[in-house]
Amino acid sequence: MKITVLVPYYDEASTITSTLDNLKKQTLKPDEVILIDSGSNDSTSLLINGWIEKNNKTHSFSNILSGKMSPSSSINLGLTHAQNKLIAYVDCGLEIPLNWLEDAFKLMQENNSDIVSKCIYTEGENIIDKSLVAQTYGYKQTRPCLTGSLIKSNVFDDIGFFLDNVRSGYDVDFINRINSHNIKRTIDYKNPLKYYGNNYAANILTAFKKVFTYSLAGWITRGDKKPIFYLLFAGFFYFSFIYSYHGIFIASYIFIRGYLVPYLKSYGNSIFLYPYLLLFLPISGLIIDVARFSGYLFSLFNIKKIIEAK
C-alpha cells in the first residue's frame, strides 16, 4: 500500500536538510512526500526547493507554499493533497530513524491497526531546557506522541481532520476522538524520535512565549481539563491570601510544582543530581504555570473569536 508523508514546517533552515535526507533514506520508501510551509520567515522553503531540484529523481517530493497558517492547518492542507491510503505525519526538528516507515507498516499489518504511533525521547540541552523538559515531558523519558504516526486515510473519513487553526492541542484532541471511536492504535516503542538541539526551549522568555501560545487552544481541545484545573488553582491561591494561609500555600507550591511533579514525570530519573537543576525546577514550573494561566485567561475572554477563526 502506498504511503504519503506530510511534513509541516516553520523556520526550520537549520534542520530541514537532515529531515529531507532521512526521508529519502527510509528503508521503506514513501511514495509521496508533501512539505507544507506554515509561513516561514527564513530560507527553509528555498533550501527545500534546492534539495528537491538535486535529489527528487522520482518526483515524489513536493513543497506547498501555503502562506502563514498554524501547524494543524498545514497538516490539514497536506491531507487535501495526499493521493494515498496511508498517511504518515512527522514534524521537523526531529531525528527520524531510517526504518521509521518500515517498522510502522509492519506493526500496522501485524496488529491490524488503524494507527501506529512513535514515541519521543526527551532529555534537554542546557540546564533551563532540562528543567522545562522535567516539568513537561519528563527528564530522560520515552513517551508516545502523535508526530511520527502512520495513519490509514479512512480514519480521517471517520473522525475528521485535525483541530484547525491552532498551534497546539490538535494532537490531544485527535487522540481523544480516536479513543471515542472504534479505532485501533498501536505504539512503537523502539527507536524513538529525538529532537535536534533544544527539546523545549533554550531560555525562559522563549519558554513563556511557547507555553502562552500553546495554551490558547486549551478551551477548544477535546479532553483537555487543564484550563479548569488552572482556574480552580487560581481560586485556591486567592483564598489562601484572604485567610492568611499564603505561607503554607507558597511552600506547598514550591515543593509540589518545583520538585514533586518533575520527579513523578521523570520517574525519579536523576533529576536531582544536578545542583543547578534544583534551582531552576521551581522557576521553570512557575514560568509554565503563569504562561499557561495567562493563555487560558486570554483565550477565555476571546473564545468567540477563537471559535470563529476555527
Side-chain angles (χ1 to χ4, degrees):
M1 192 176 292
K2 293 184 176 181
I3 300 174
T4 294
V5 176
L6 303 179
V7 188
Y9 67 88
Y10 178 80
D11 290 355
E12 301 287 351
S14 61
T15 61
I16 191 62
T17 300
S18 297
T19 299
L20 291 166
D21 288 341
N22 285 343
L23 291 174
K24 179 186 176 184
K25 295 175 183 176
Q26 287 293 303
T27 53
L28 176 60
K29 304 297 182 187
D31 300 276
E32 179 183 41
V33 179
I34 303 175
L35 297 110
I36 312 101
D37 185 10
S38 296
S40 293
N41 298 306
D42 65 0
S43 60
T44 308
S45 185
L46 292 176
L47 290 171
I48 291 172
N49 290 337
W51 187 95
I52 289 176
E53 187 176 344
K54 292 179 181 178
N55 297 274
N56 193 24
K57 306 302 181 184
T58 61
H59 304 288
S60 57
F61 285 73
S62 61
N63 184 24
I64 300 176
L65 304 177
S66 60
K68 194 170 185 61
M69 59 173 53
S70 68
S72 63
S73 299
S74 295
I75 302 168
N76 288 340
L77 179 62
L79 286 170
T80 64
H81 285 75
Q83 300 294 316
N84 299 310
K85 297 295 184 182
L86 289 180
I87 309 295
Y89 143 63
V90 69
D91 289 317
C92 289
L94 294 167
E95 298 179 28
I96 306 170
L98 299 185
N99 57 351
W100 163 48
L101 289 176
E102 182 179 6
D103 285 352
F105 185 68
K106 286 180 179 177
L107 280 175
M108 180 171 280
Q109 290 183 310
E110 291 170 1
N111 297 280
N112 193 28
S113 304
D114 299 298
I115 301 176
V116 175
S117 294
K118 290 292 290 182
C119 290
I120 192 164
Y121 175 80
T122 51
E123 182 173 347
E125 288 281 290
N126 58 39
I127 200 68
I128 294 176
D129 194 29
K130 291 180 187 294
S131 66
L132 291 165
V133 164
Q135 289 281 9
T136 51
Y137 310 131
Y139 181 61
K140 290 186 177 181
Q141 294 302 302
T142 301
R143 297 182 181 276
C145 58
L146 190 60
T147 184
S149 293
L150 181 65
I151 309 171
K152 292 180 179 177
S153 61
N154 63 281
V155 170
F156 299 104
D157 296 332
D158 293 339
I159 68 173
F161 284 6
F162 293 100
L163 185 64
D164 205 31
N165 198 32
V166 293
R167 286 282 301 159
S168 71
Y170 57 89
D171 51 348
V172 175
D173 180 88
F174 192 75
I175 291 169
N176 282 321
R177 281 188 281 143
I178 287 170
N179 293 335
S180 66
H181 290 70
N182 188 28
I183 295 172
K184 186 176 182 180
R185 184 185 185 211
T186 298
I187 308 298
D188 180 5
Y189 289 95
K190 297 187 299 182
N191 300 318
L193 302 169
K194 298 178 182 179
Y195 287 99
Y196 291 113
N198 293 300
N199 292 191
Y200 199 88
N203 55 66
I204 295 298
L205 180 60
T206 302
F208 185 93
K209 291 179 178 178
K210 179 176 181 176
V211 176
F212 178 85
T213 303
Y214 281 17
S215 299
L216 296 177
W219 293 104
I220 57 175
T221 300
R222 180 179 302 200
D224 190 352
K225 301 297 192 298
K226 290 195 297 294
I228 297 174
F229 170 81
Y230 272 85
L231 287 182
L232 292 174
F233 178 81
F236 281 119
F237 177 76
Y238 175 74
F239 284 110
S240 73
F241 273 80
I242 289 181
Y243 294 104
S244 301
Y245 289 113
H246 50 277
I248 296 174
F249 183 93
I250 293 172
S252 299
Y253 175 82
I254 292 173
F255 172 73
I256 295 173
R257 185 44 154 151
Y259 301 109
L260 184 59
V261 168
Y263 178 84
L264 294 175
K265 287 193 173 186
S266 304
Y267 294 96
N269 198 344
S270 65
I271 61 170
F272 298 142
L273 295 181
Y274 305 94
Y276 289 110
L277 196 56
L278 293 175
L279 172 64
F280 278 103
L281 282 172
I283 296 173
S284 60
L286 179 62
I287 292 298
I288 289 170
D289 287 342
V290 172
R292 191 169 282 164
F293 179 73
S294 300
Y296 290 152
L297 200 60
F298 179 85
S299 60
L300 181 63
F301 289 111
N302 292 274
I303 190 68
K304 184 177 179 181
K305 293 180 181 179
I306 293 173
I307 292 175
E308 287 175 352
K310 172 179 174 294

